[in-house]
C-alpha cells in the first residue's frame, strides 16, 4: 500500500517537505488536511512530494471522522442492498456512519471523489466492484485512510487487500449439478468479461464440462452486463437456436430472471423444457416462480468481512501483508432445474 | 420547524446565552459546534437555552460538510435501493456525498445519532419512514440542519415538511381495476396499521368497494409487516377460507410475491384462480411470473424531491411554511389480474 519512495529517504518531516516545495509548513498542513484555501498548483506540488516520500500522517486516528466510505461501481439492484447491509452492520457496532458513493463519473465542482474522502477522513474505504487509480491510492495512503476492495472487477494487484467469493467453484458446482441431472447441451450467459468474477464463473462451467468428458461449444457461451435485460436478450438468442441448450447457467440471478422471461415468451417451461441456474442468491431467487436454483454468494458476510478488514487495517500500527480472502459459495437447489426433456 | 420561544425574545446573541447559562461564549460555541470537550451538564444547560431562544447558527453554510444524511426505518429490500438512488442522484449534482443510517436502535457509545449528525453538519437530513423525537428536532433546528420526512410513518405534524405518494388514490385505483374485471369478493393485505401509508391504501380499497355498491367484509382485510413472509402467511390464511376471495390487493409488491407463493402452494393459478395487485412497482414486479399488476409509486422521484426540498430549505434565508407534497401513483396493469373464475 506504500508508494515507492526515492532511495535512501526513509522519512521526511513536514518541514522538510515544505522546504522542498518552497512553501510554509502550515501550507503543507493545509494540503494534508484537505483544506480548500490552497492554490491548485501548490496543492499538486505538495501532494507529489508527500507521495514521493511516502509521507503518512501522524495522529491519524484522533482526527478521523466516525465514518466509513463505501463506493459502488453502480448503485443498483438488490445486490447492492445486501452489500450495504453488511457494511452497515459492522459500522453500527463500531459507532460509525456509512457514506455511500457511486464511482461512475462522479465529477463534483473542483473536487474529485478522492479529495472529498481525504477531506472527510473516514476510518476506511470499501470499494465494491470498483477500483482506485494510482493517484487516488496514493492520496488515501498519504492520509492513512485504508481501503479494501470487495469483489474486485479487475486484478487489483498483490498489494491491495480484497474480499471475494469462490466464483470458479460456484461455476463448477452449478454446471456439475446440471451434468448430474443428465444435461449434455448446457449454455452459459456470462457477466461482463472485463470483470474477473465473470471470467472465473465461466471457467468453472468449462471445467465441469471438461471433467465430465462433455464437449465445450464456444457458441453456447454468450456475455452481457449483469442486468435483467441482458439475460432476456441473450436468453432469446440461445433459445431460438434450432439446437438450443436444455439448460443454461446464468451469470447472476437477474440474468436468470431475464432468461425466465425469454423462455416464457418462447413458450418454454422452466424446468420441464429448460433448466436454469443463477448466481448470487438474492432474496428474489426464492420468490420467483419457479423458485430459482442458484449459487449462493454470501454478499452480506463478504461486505461485513471487507468492513471489518478495513477497520483492522486502520487500527494497526504496523502495515501488514495484503490479504485476499475468498468466502465460500454454495449451490442452493430449488425448482428451476430438472432432468432434460426427452429428445 | 422553530421551537416555541419565551414571549418577546425574538433573538438572543451567543453572548447573552452564555451569560444566562453562566458559561463563557467560547463554551457556547463549542456546544454549537458539537465539540466533545464540554461537560454533559453544561452541554445540556446550553442546549436548553439555545432551544428556548430558537437560536439558529449564523454562517451555517460555510461550516457545513458536503454531506446529506438519509435515515431509514429499516435498510432492506429493493425498496430502499430505489430511495437511495434518488437521494444519490440529487447529491451527486450538488457535489455532496450520502450518509446512510438505520434508525432502529442505533445506540453508539456516548453519542446518539442526532449528536453525530449535529457534529458532522450535513446540508440536510432525509428521514425515510422514520421520525425524529422532540429533542432531536430541536437539536437539528438549533444547528440549522433542515430535515424532510419521506413517506412519514405516522403523522409528522403540520410543521414538518414531507414528501409522500397518493396512497389513498393508489388503493382506490387498484381495487377499481379488480371491480371492473368483475370481482366482487376482494381481499386486502395491509401493511403495518401504525403506518399512515398502509391505512390510506386500505381506505382507498374500501372507498372503491363502497362506491361500486359492494359490501366491505372486514374479515377479508388482514394486516402484517411489509415483508414477503407476511404476504405468504396472510395469503395462506385468506386463501384457505372456504369462501376465499377471487382477488387480493396486497399492501406492497413483496407481500404480493408472498401471496404468489401461498397460491402456488395451494395449487391456485395466478391470474386464472386468483387476481393479485401489488403496490410500489419495484423492478422485480416486471420479472416475476406472471408479471405483477401493481400501483406504481415513483420512489426514486420521491427521494429526489425530498433531497431537493431539504437542500432548498437549507439554502433559504427565510423560513417558509412547511410543505407536504404527494407525488401521483399510477396503476400498471400486467398479467396477474384477470376476470374472476367461473363460479
Amino acid at each position: 500500500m506504500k508508494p515507492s519512495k526515492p532511495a535512501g529517504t526513509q522519512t521526511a518531516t513536514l518541514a522538510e517537505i515544505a522546504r522542498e516545495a518552497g512553501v510554509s509548513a502550515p501550507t503543507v498542513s493545509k494540503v494534508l488536511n484537505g483544506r480548500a484555501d490552497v492554490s491548485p498548483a501548490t496543492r499538486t506540488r505538495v501532494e507529489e512530494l508527500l507521495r514521493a516520500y511516502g509521507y503518512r500522517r501522524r495522529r491519524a486516528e484522533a482526527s478521523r471522522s466516525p465514518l466509513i466510505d463505501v463506493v459502488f461501481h453502480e448503485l443498483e439492484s438488490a445486490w447492492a442492498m445486501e452489500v450495504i447491509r453488511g457494511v452497515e452492520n459492522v459500522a453500527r457496532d463500531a459507532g460509525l456512519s456509512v457514506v455511500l458513493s457511486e464511482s461512475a463519473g462522479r465529477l463534483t465542482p473542483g473536487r474529485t471523489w478522492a479529495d472529498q474522502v481525504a477531506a472527510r477522513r473516514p476510518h476506511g474505504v470499501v470499494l465494491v466492484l470498483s477500483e482506485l487509480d494510482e493517484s487516488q491510492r496514493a492520496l488515501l495512503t498519504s492520509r492513512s485512510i485504508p481501503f479494501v476492495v470487495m469483489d474486485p472487477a479487475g486484478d487489483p494487484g498483490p498489494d491491495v487487500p480484497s474480499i471475494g467469493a469462490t466464483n470458479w467453484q460456484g461455476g463448477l458446482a452449478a454446471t456439475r449439478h446440471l451434468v448430474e441431472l443428465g444435461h449434455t447441451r448446457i449454455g452459459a450467459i456470462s457477466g461482463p468479461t472485463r470483470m474477473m468474477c465473470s471470467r472465473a464463473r465461466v471457467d468453472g462451467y468449462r471445467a465441469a464440462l471438461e471433467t465430465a468428458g462433455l464437449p465445450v461449444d464456444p457458441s453456447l457461451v454468450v456475455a452481457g452486463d449483469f442486468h435483467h435485460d441482458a439475460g432476456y436478450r441473450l436468453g432469446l438468442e440461445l433459445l431460438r437456436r434450432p439446437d438450443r441448450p436444455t439448460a443454461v447457467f446464468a451469470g447472476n440471478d437477474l440474468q436468470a430472471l431475464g432468461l425466465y422471461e425469454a423462455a416464457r415468451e418462447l413458450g418454454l417451461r422452466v424446468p420441464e423444457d429448460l433448466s436454469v441456474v443463477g448466481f448470487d442468491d438474492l432474496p428474489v431467487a426464492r420468490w420467483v416462480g419457479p423458485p430459482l436454483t442458484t449459487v449462493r454468494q454470501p454478499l452480506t458476510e463478504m461486505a461485513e468481512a471487507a468492513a471489518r478488514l478495513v477497520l483492522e487495517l486502520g487500527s494497526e500500527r504496523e502495515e501488514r501483508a495484503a490479504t485476499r480472502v475468498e468466502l465460500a459459495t454454495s449451490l442452493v437447489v430449488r425448482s428451476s432445474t430438472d432432468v432434460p426433456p426427452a429428445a
Side-chain angles (χ1 to χ4, degrees), chain A residues 1-25:
Chain A
M1 286 178 56
K2 225 177 238 183
S4 61
K5 6 176 162 171
T9 56
Q10 260 313 98
T11 52
T13 65
L14 204 134
E16 285 162 355
I17 287 171
R19 202 154 44 233
E20 191 160 338
V23 300
S24 70

Side-chain angles (χ1 to χ4, degrees), chain A residues 4-198:
Chain A
S4 61
K5 6 176 162 171
T9 56
Q10 260 313 98
T11 52
T13 65
L14 204 134
E16 285 162 355
I17 287 171
R19 202 154 44 233
E20 191 160 338
V23 300
S24 70
T27 300
V28 175
S29 190
K30 280 182 185 175
V31 172
L32 271 172
N33 291 317
R35 294 260 299 274
D37 50 347
V38 180
S39 80
T42 302
R43 192 182 176 77
T44 305
R45 198 162 64 247
V46 172
E47 290 287 5
E48 273 166 9
L49 283 164
L50 288 168
R51 271 172 223 159
Y53 284 103
Y55 185 88
R56 296 173 71 92
R57 291 172 65 248
R58 313 261 187 288
R59 299 177 50 244
E61 272 174 71
S63 63
R64 275 186 199 143
S65 305
L67 299 171
I68 181 165
D69 263 77
V70 192
V71 189
F72 281 86
H73 148 256
E74 58 183 12
L75 204 49
E76 241 182 292
S77 99
W79 194 95
M81 202 65 243
E82 302 289 302
V83 174
I84 291 171
R85 204 177 326 161
V87 177
E88 175 73 20
N89 287 347
V90 172
R92 189 172 41 237
D93 289 349
L96 306 177
S97 297
V98 176
V99 183
L100 210 63
S101 322
E102 218 177 344
S103 62
R106 185 178 187 101
L107 288 169
T108 57
R111 294 204 130 189
T112 63
W113 168 85
D115 286 328
Q116 286 194 333
V117 172
R120 71 174 158 257
R121 286 181 225 136
H123 281 236
V125 178
V126 176
L127 297 140
V128 185
L129 269 177
S130 166
E131 274 162 32
L132 299 179
D133 64 28
E134 193 63 31
S135 78
Q136 290 171 327
R137 273 196 213 185
L139 184 61
L140 296 192
T141 303
S142 76
R143 299 296 191 282
S144 297
I145 299 171
F147 55 92
V148 166
V149 182
M150 178 178 151
D151 225 354
D155 181 356
D159 57 341
V160 175
S162 68
I163 305 276
T166 56
N167 290 297
W168 185 88
Q169 284 83 351
L172 184 81
T175 312
R176 277 212 170 135
H177 168 63
L178 294 169
V179 168
E180 280 162 14
L181 285 168
H183 293 272
T184 53
R185 196 152 174 77
I186 302 171
I189 301 179
S190 164
T193 48
R194 71 193 148 76
M195 292 189 186
M196 290 302 118
C197 62
S198 306

Side-chain angles (χ1 to χ4, degrees), chain A residues 24 238 278 298 310 319:
Chain A
S24 70
L238 282 175
V310 87
E319 291 188 36

Side-chain angles (χ1 to χ4, degrees), chain A residues 186-237:
Chain A
I186 302 171
I189 301 179
S190 164
T193 48
R194 71 193 148 76
M195 292 189 186
M196 290 302 118
C197 62
S198 306
R199 287 184 173 274
R201 289 172 201 177
V202 171
D203 284 347
Y205 150 89
R206 279 201 201 91
L209 293 179
E210 281 165 6
T211 54
L214 291 171
V216 176
D217 179 348
S219 74
L220 287 184
V221 180
V222 290
D225 65 33
F226 271 135
H227 297 291
H228 179 269
D229 190 58
Y232 169 70
R233 206 166 27 76
L234 296 167
L236 282 180
E237 198 177 291

Side-chain angles (χ1 to χ4, degrees), chain A residues 1 159 161 308-310 312-313 316 318-323:
Chain A
M1 286 178 56
D159 57 341
R308 267 195 300 266
L309 177 57
V310 87
E312 277 169 33
L313 291 172
E316 281 168 8
E318 301 295 309
E319 291 188 36
R320 60 159 150 179
T323 321

